[in-house]
Amino acid sequence: MENYENLAKQQRAFFLTGQTKPIDFRINSLNTLQNAINKHEKEILAALRKDLNKSEVEGYATEIKIVLEEIKFSLENLKGWMQPKKVDTPSFLTGASSVIYPEPYGVALIIAPWNYPFQLAIAPLIGAMAAGNCAVLKPSEFTPSTSKVLATLVRENFPDDYIAVVEGEVETSTALLKEQFDYIFFTGSTPVGKVVMEAAAKHLTPVTLELGGKSPCIVHSDAQITTAAKRIARGKFLNAGQTCVAPDYILVQRQVKEQFLDELKDAIQDLYGEDISRNPDFPKVVNEKQFKRLSTFLKDGTLYFGGRTDSSRNFIEPTVLDQIAWTDPVMKDEIFGPILPVIVYDELSEIIEEITKRPKPLALYIFSESEAVQDQILSSVSFGGGCINETLAHLTSPYLPFGGVGESGMGSYHGQVSFDTFSHRKSVLKRKAE
Ligand code: NAD
């Protein structure tokens, strides 16, 4: 097995020189990263096309623009985030003052998944750099072209002692996890999240776990059905459903089901054309293993729309499955592909009971015009984050911490919360000697 002891040691030595701490260093580094992304834009898009058949438009919007926005936001706000914060001091500590100093943890390990292989590697890296850390980045082995571009981009612009990319499979991740890091930021599946946390516990290393799960999408009878169908189609089938916060399944109230399904079919065809098998820009399923896993779900319930596949190119058509029961195989684990099961309900209380029996979702979406309905769901279901009358968009705001709860993860990031995540808050009480 490979050994990363030296890399971790080198980075720690570099960190201890103190070079990464001044604001100028952080700003220069973020600017360098920004320029490198712009310079490598074509290669990044070509790699995303190769790995996942992402179109240039989709690749740019969901992988490049989103991280450039994150860098811009960090550059604009870094000075304020870095300021020590004066806080109150209780009156019994006469003559004392209290200050919280944000300080970098040191050396961070970032492990990334394959579904947004560029964005989900770079976005946490921005937080780590803004907070003044060194970082080792381990991209996913299932998107090798993007992983290679990431490695080149980092190698060309940063010394290994400061930022390093380590490419490799599970063994590489396992070997990295043996080393002592000061922070571990993991994005991936819930089972692997547990492995990462166990490894981190050996060194008492704090972790952020950005995991997955089944994210419900509720369409209540008073929703604007046309809008709901359009926004759900867009959110579900982006990246062929391989989005951690994609609506995993639909819960639709009985009286609007037919109308909803009808509108959903139109919305899918508006997005991808009448014959989606001929759409050259529809993303592929990442690999044969995932293709086979997803294909077994196609026989669940009754096929309402789609269902065609092409194993030669890991293509699965956007598919809607009707007459689904909670006990069907497709309802067991996160789907993570372009298959959308639909379950009908009569009363809100039924679905609230079903959702709360299951692991806490990463995302939840509510389509309803009634504040009472929205409030009832928000006050009774715990989930990472979500939207009312929209899908996915909460993830794009730097003002909303993004992360899961329970089995969908712990900790969060984006905007200032990324900086906070990679910073220790050092609390200091200062008192006069006399
Ligand atoms: P994964 O957990 O299989 O792999 C993620 C990373 O962990 C990869 O770099 C992989 O090499 C490494 N890894 C795999 N097995 C390991 C092991 N036993 N020990 C150590 N490292 C290991 O996840 P994936 O298939 O790449 O991604 C899909 C999952 O990620 C889905 O569950 C999805 O919901 C979740 N996800 C979550 C978010 C989020 O922000 N919350 C974002 C994207 C994906």
Side-chain angles (χ1 to χ4, degrees):
M1 196 185 274
E2 297 130 297
N3 183 326
Y4 296 103
E5 198 184 333
N6 276 344
L7 179 61
K9 270 192 183 151
Q10 275 170 23
Q11 286 214 347
R12 183 151 296 107
F14 186 78
F15 177 72
L16 290 174
T17 63
Q19 288 177 66
T20 64
K21 289 185 179 173
I23 188 164
D24 287 351
F25 181 91
R26 304 188 200 191
I27 287 175
N28 284 341
S29 302
L30 289 171
N31 276 324
T32 303
L33 182 64
Q34 185 179 45
N35 294 339
I37 294 170
N38 284 325
K39 185 179 153 211
H40 286 278
E41 183 188 309
K42 277 206 172 72
E43 288 110 294
I44 300 164
L45 291 173
L48 292 167
R49 173 67 90 171
K50 210 158 167 212
D51 286 333
L52 290 154
N53 194 40
K54 285 195 194 195
S55 70
E56 287 62 28
V57 173
E58 183 168 332
Y60 188 80
T62 65
E63 305 244 26
I64 296 182
K65 185 162 185 283
I66 202 162
V67 296
L68 290 175
E69 291 291 331
E70 185 82 17
I71 295 176
K72 192 167 156 243
F73 191 79
S74 302
L75 286 168
E76 283 165 5
N77 294 287
L78 188 59
K79 196 171 170 204
W81 297 343
M82 285 176 68
Q83 289 304 315
K85 311 241 170 347
K86 280 201 174 135
V87 292
D88 288 348
T89 302
S91 54
F92 60 80
L93 293 165
T94 329
S97 58
S98 309
V99 181
I100 302 170
Y101 297 86
E103 65 172 17
Y105 276 105
V107 180
L109 172 65
I110 297 167
I111 303 179
W114 53 260
N115 61 330
Y116 289 85
F118 190 75
Q119 187 219 135
L120 296 176
I122 296 291
L125 181 66
I126 295 166
M129 289 165 77
N133 296 274
C134 297
V136 174
L137 181 60
K138 152 70 181 79
S140 171
E141 64 274 31
F142 297 120
T143 38
S145 303
T146 312
S147 171
K148 212 163 155 198
V149 177
L150 275 166
T152 309
L153 184 153
V154 167
R155 226 164 269 152
E156 272 178 17
N157 291 283
F158 303 105
D160 251 15
D161 299 3
Y162 171 40
I163 311 287
V165 171
V166 175
E167 293 182 88
E169 310 209 351
V170 174
E171 298 72 47
T172 305
S173 233
T174 309
L176 282 166
L177 286 167
K178 282 204 165 49
E179 300 309 322
Q180 176 153 16
F181 288 92
D182 302 298
Y183 203 89
I184 299 178
F185 189 104
F186 171 80
T187 308
S189 62
T190 301
V192 179
K194 292 178 186 173
V195 174
V196 170
M197 193 160 172
E198 209 176 319
K202 295 218 168 75
H203 298 291
L204 285 179
T205 302
V207 291
T208 293
L209 301 176
E210 294 280 341
L211 311 178
K214 287 185 93 60
S215 298
C217 179
I218 300 165
V219 183
H220 203 62
S221 56
D222 63 356
Q224 301 249 2
I225 301 295
T226 311
T227 307
K230 282 193 176 132
R231 294 181 183 173
I232 291 168
R234 202 176 55 208
K236 173 69 187 187
F237 299 109
L238 184 79
N239 198 24
Q242 300 166 117
T243 302
C244 55
V245 285
D248 187 272
Y249 59 95
I250 300 291
L251 299 165
V252 60
Q253 208 171 15
R254 191 174 306 276
Q255 51 270 49
V256 291
K257 183 191 117 175
E258 294 308 325
Q259 188 199 348
F260 171 71
L261 286 179
D262 219 40
E263 300 266 12
L264 185 62
K265 184 175 150 204
D266 288 348
I268 296 171
Q269 286 181 326
D270 280 351
L271 279 172
Y272 301 108
E274 292 278 315
D275 183 356
I276 304 169
S277 69
R278 287 169 185 272
N279 184 332
D281 287 335
F282 190 69
K284 64 177 181 174
V285 172
V286 69
N287 56 33
E288 196 188 336
K289 186 176 160 211
Q290 296 297 329
F291 175 84
K292 283 192 172 146
R293 179 184 65 82
L294 287 165
S295 298
T296 64
F297 297 141
L298 295 172
K299 52 184 186 315
D300 284 6
T302 59
L303 184 65
Y304 179 81
F305 180 83
R308 288 181 300 170
T309 63
D310 178 351
S311 60
S312 70
R313 56 189 172 107
N314 292 337
F315 166 80
I316 298 182
E317 190 174 19
T319 298
V320 180
L321 300 174
D322 192 8
Q323 316 270 352
I324 292 292
W326 289 98
T327 47
D328 284 331
V330 73
M331 290 304 296
K332 193 165 173 280
D333 294 316
E334 179 183 17
I335 298 168
F336 221 52
I339 299 172
L340 186 58
V342 177
I343 294 180
V344 170
Y345 70 91
D346 292 301
E347 301 295 331
L348 261 191
S349 55
E350 286 167 42
I351 57 169
I352 289 175
E353 195 187 324
E354 288 293 342
I355 297 170
T356 48
K357 269 203 292 209
R358 294 172 163 73
K360 294 177 181 176
L362 178 61
L364 185 143
Y365 304 108
I366 306 168
F367 285 86
S368 167
E369 290 299 291
S370 149
E371 273 190 33
V373 168
Q374 298 165 7
D375 289 347
Q376 192 184 343
I377 300 167
L378 290 181
S379 60
S380 39
V381 184
S382 175
F383 54 93
C387 307
I388 293 169
N389 297 323
E390 186 48 283
T391 59
L392 314 188
H394 62 299
L395 177 137
T396 60
S397 167
Y399 302 104
L400 288 173
F402 175 71
V405 56
E407 285 198 24
S408 57
M410 62 180 70
S412 49
Y413 74 134
H414 289 174
Q416 179 169 2
V417 183
S418 286
F419 174 88
D420 294 343
T421 288
F422 285 99
S423 302
H424 165 63
R425 295 183 342 143
K426 188 158 74 181
S427 294
V428 176
L429 184 124
K430 195 169 170 181
R431 206 172 195 180
K432 292 215 167 66
E434 317 224 342

